[in-house]
Amino acid sequence: MASTCLFLTQFLLIFPVAMASSSPPLILSLLKSTVPNKLTFRRNVSLTVAVAVGSPPQTATMVLDTGSELSWLRCNAAVTTSASASFNPHVSITYRPITCSAPTCTTRTRDLTLPASCDKNRLCHVILSYADASSVEGTLATDGFRLGGSPVQTGAVFGCMESGSSSNPVEDARTTGLMGMNRGQLSFVSQMGFPKFSYCISPRDSPGVLILGAAELPWLPPLNYTPLVQVPPAAAALPYFDRVAYTVRLQGITVAGKLLPIPESVLEPDHTGAGQTMIDSGTQFTFLIGAAYAALRSEFLKQTAGILRPLAEPNFVFQGTMDLCFRIEMRSAAAARLPSVGLVFGGAEMKVAGEKLLYRVAGETRGPDGVYCLTFGNSDLLGVEAYVIGHHHQQDLWMEFDLAKSRVGLAEVGCDSASQRLGL
């Protein structure tokens, strides 16, 4: 594999104040950065937003992640410049570390795979671990957060992380932390009180849109909604089920309209909760449980015979999970002839077509051909017992996360056009 490369694509964030719907939207800068590496389940494609934290305010660049709950900042007491990718808690007069005897320290969250503990100063010590084997640890704390010209959100709980290990040091060097956006009580969107948020991601080097609050735009097409899967609090223990993720019910997978013969039992969580379907902006590609991936792989290979030339290298597996790859001289010419893949939910369908189906592997060539892989991976190889719908397949879709009504809405929208209509 070639050495890691980095490129940036500018996005724009429209941010209406949650409790004042009549207020004009606040426009912030949101960046999309891509850093390919060998194992990149989390944060390889990052939507980042600038946030002012503390008093006096320090600018923090936070990764927007719908798959995480607790927000955190990389903390460094030696920071003396606003250009640093770290937050200095000691210069903020509103920073308050949380003690290990405080109720917040004992709150159970999705991200805390290890229980919070006491450090030598009797402060609440937390460790967050992610599926790409990265982790961060530090002190649970509160401080004020401000986005654009919005009112300061005082007393927001976050992790002030002082150490950790990373699978993506290049990306981490550009960001101050992570903004958890799932449905957990400690997530940023829950603490800020937004009833919904939505985004539209452009597949090209052009602006996209993110709106926190209600997107009342007359030109938006009707959204197709699918309900979030709800598990009653009194239900039996489900050790592998994430109760605060944006979980939807996957009813089937199609290739060129043909429904794949996948048993219903494979598409639904089992008695342990393994096998749920989650929408995660912190993941780049889409991962399917082994049996479903095998069915998709077989049918896609069959329907593209004569269109695509298989790589025919059994030991080549992109990112450790994608083993269906091809030799292609010009992707655009082949993309128009590819069969679409549909992810069918109750009330909605996500269609993946054209260039979104194939991803070029950086630095890999075979003569005049580039190496392209199907943008669906095998979650069994990833070590994650779930279906995960990634950022790549959400491009040119208006994605709405409605927390108030427990549903996700989507519709095909040209994100470039949406940006232009909003005057961005």
Side-chain angles (χ1 to χ4, degrees), residues 218-220 416-424:
W219 45 264
L220 270 182
D416 292 345
S417 175
S419 297
Q420 293 172 4
R421 284 177 175 272
L422 290 167
L424 303 181

Side-chain angles (χ1 to χ4, degrees), residues 71-351:
S71 300
W72 56 266
L73 296 174
R74 187 174 291 103
C75 291
N76 187 344
V79 170
T80 58
T81 67
S82 59
S84 173
S86 296
F87 171 71
N88 186 344
H90 296 293
V91 301
S92 173
I93 62 174
T94 49
Y95 174 82
R96 299 287 185 273
I98 294 175
T99 64
C100 52
S101 60
T104 306
C105 190
T106 59
T107 299
R108 297 180 62 87
T109 78
R110 178 263 187 186
D111 285 337
L112 295 180
T113 53
L114 296 176
S117 60
C118 282
D119 66 13
K120 62 182 180 180
N121 297 316
R122 302 293 297 170
L123 299 180
C124 187
H125 184 80
V126 294
I127 300 175
L128 303 183
S129 300
Y130 296 99
D132 65 353
S134 65
S135 64
V136 289
E137 60 180 294
T139 302
L140 207 61
T142 65
D143 209 332
F145 285 72
R146 179 196 293 270
L147 293 95
S150 67
V152 176
Q153 174 69 22
T154 60
V157 178
F158 70 102
C160 191
M161 305 309 195
E162 299 173 351
S163 63
S165 61
S166 173
S167 66
N168 204 331
V170 175
E171 173 70 5
D172 286 345
R174 302 187 60 88
T175 59
T176 318
L178 179 143
M179 183 182 292
M181 294 291 286
N182 72 9
R183 297 186 296 146
Q185 62 179 322
L186 291 182
S187 77
F188 190 83
V189 67
S190 295
Q191 291 192 69
M192 293 291 282
F194 291 108
K196 65 175 63 174
F197 65 95
S198 53
Y199 53 68
C200 192
I201 304 166
S202 173
R204 288 166 289 279
D205 296 346
S206 54
V209 180
L210 173 65
I211 299 180
L212 298 184
E216 299 177 355
L217 304 172
W219 45 264
L220 270 182
L223 302 184
N224 294 313
Y225 288 96
T226 186
L228 294 172
V229 174
Q230 303 292 326
V231 177
L238 300 173
Y240 298 108
F241 191 90
D242 184 348
R243 293 172 183 259
V244 292
Y246 296 102
T247 300
V248 295
R249 183 186 176 195
L250 181 62
Q251 295 185 334
I253 301 174
T254 64
V255 179
K258 178 182 178 181
L259 185 65
L260 300 181
I262 303 173
E264 184 176 338
S265 60
V266 173
L267 298 173
E268 295 185 344
D270 63 17
H271 66 284
T272 69
Q276 72 186 110
T277 300
M278 300 178 287
I279 300 176
D280 185 0
S281 69
T283 300
Q284 183 174 13
F285 300 116
T286 294
F287 297 92
L288 309 176
I289 293 294
Y293 174 76
L296 172 61
R297 186 188 190 283
S298 176
E299 185 62 28
F300 190 84
L301 195 59
K302 177 181 177 181
Q303 292 199 28
T304 55
I307 301 175
L308 298 176
R309 179 184 177 187
L311 181 61
E313 296 178 16
N315 293 327
F316 187 92
V317 182
F318 178 50
Q319 294 189 358
T321 64
M322 304 175 189
D323 62 358
L324 183 53
C325 302
F326 306 91
R327 296 180 55 168
I328 303 175
E329 186 173 2
M330 292 183 62
R331 179 177 61 164
S332 58
R337 303 167 58 195
L338 297 178
S340 63
V341 175
L343 301 176
V344 183
F345 313 111
E349 179 178 359
M350 181 180 291
K351 184 173 291 186

